[in-house]
Amino acid sequence: DGGITQSPKYLFRKEGQNVTLSCEQNLNHDAMYWYRQDPGQGLRLIYYSQIVNDFQKGDIAEGYSVSREKKESFPLTVTSAQKNPTAFYLCASSLRWDGEQFFGPGTRLTVL
Amino acid sequence: KQEVTQIPAALSVPEGENLVLNCSFTDSAIYNLQWFRQDPGKGLTSLLLIQSSQREQTSGRLNASLDKSSGRSTLYIAASQPGDSATYLCAVSGSSNTGKLIFGQGTTLQVKP
């Protein structure tokens, strides 16, 4: 059963903590993306990766970091430098950078 | 800077009605346009992808059109059903080779039985 999985579904972070959101795909897609969704702001791109071992900043990368050591995995770390991390985080992938993007179920992060 | 607008923000229709959702974008230099559906608290489900060289795409009761020169796309839903109730998002991919999608704010559709 091919698709994109994200874990955990809900995540709570204390002030000053770093947390890592998982994104895994078994679609053999080259490109992967992280978006953030806030009410009234729509979705915004945080980071993207077109190929293993390479990634680029999106529009709102400050306070976030990523890695792409394996084709199927693209974890996102929300660092303590991110001032307003409470949001719904969505991971996506596409066969190539210009292909149809498919999304995971999302992780809702709340800062306590 | 590319901006994507979806009008109306919300729409309520009786079951069985045909309806049109609108999407407009400011920069016609797009690579493709994608329509998504989002249910509350869930991820996005891809509905249709239209490449910049195409005029329309169809999938079941859905038909999406693209007029790049005027910066517009429409999503036509035929014979609407209560199960179609969701938020519909339009997104464009710019001409730079990043794959980055620029999203509209969405249209929240309610189909009443």
Side-chain angles (χ1 to χ4, degrees):
Chain A
D1 192 18
I4 304 173
T5 57
Q6 291 186 242
S7 61
K9 187 174 182 180
Y10 299 100
L11 186 58
F12 299 92
R13 192 194 91 168
K14 294 180 180 179
E15 294 285 346
Q17 266 186 342
N18 292 352
V19 292
T20 297
L21 284 59
S22 170
C23 177
E24 304 274 333
Q25 54 96 1
N26 61 2
L27 301 168
N28 201 33
H29 285 175
D30 282 327
M32 297 187 75
Y33 312 84
W34 275 105
Y35 293 89
R36 168 179 170 147
Q37 186 175 35
D38 297 278
Q41 294 232 33
L43 280 83
R44 293 175 290 169
L45 183 66
I46 305 173
Y47 267 98
Y48 65 98
S49 168
Q50 295 183 353
I51 198 166
V52 175
N53 293 321
D54 184 62
F55 51 83
Q56 305 295 331
K57 293 181 179 180
D59 296 325
I60 55 167
E62 185 176 353
Y64 300 97
S65 66
V66 293
S67 63
R68 186 87 187 277
E69 297 176 0
K70 297 187 295 183
K71 186 176 187 177
E72 59 270 23
S73 178
F74 192 39
L76 174 74
T77 296
V78 184
T79 75
S80 57
Q82 171 47 237
K83 298 305 178 188
N84 185 21
T86 295
F88 191 47
Y89 290 85
L90 289 158
C91 177
S93 72
S94 59
L95 186 61
R96 295 171 8 130
W97 66 268
D98 57 349
E100 185 176 8
Q101 289 189 23
F102 297 91
F103 281 73
T107 292
R108 187 165 299 279
L109 173 63
T110 303
V111 174
L112 301 175
Chain B
K1 178 185 175 186
Q2 178 73 273
E3 292 183 0
V4 180
T5 303
Q6 292 186 246
I7 295 174
L11 183 63
S12 181
V13 300
E15 182 177 3
E17 191 163 298
N18 301 326
L19 58 102
V20 174
L21 306 181
N22 296 296
C23 172
S24 62
F25 45 95
T26 55
D27 185 351
S28 62
I30 64 169
Y31 198 85
N32 59 46
L33 183 146
Q34 204 166 344
W35 280 94
F36 296 91
R37 168 189 173 134
Q38 186 176 32
D39 293 290
K42 306 292 185 182
L44 277 62
T45 300
S46 178
L47 298 174
L48 290 163
L49 171 73
I50 310 178
Q51 300 290 353
S52 62
S53 58
Q54 297 175 318
R55 297 283 292 183
E56 65 178 322
Q57 282 284 352
T58 299
S59 176
R61 295 183 293 110
L62 305 180
N63 177 275
S65 68
L66 173 63
D67 185 342
K68 226 174 60 159
S69 61
S70 67
R72 293 181 182 180
S73 176
T74 61
L75 179 66
Y76 175 83
I77 302 177
S80 59
Q81 304 170 357
D84 294 330
S85 298
T87 296
Y88 290 81
L89 295 162
C90 164
V92 299
S93 177
S95 55
S96 63
N97 61 341
T98 64
K100 168 185 168 181
L101 290 177
I102 307 295
F103 282 84
Q105 300 278 3
T107 294
T108 299
L109 172 66
Q110 182 185 33
V111 181
K112 297 179 180 177

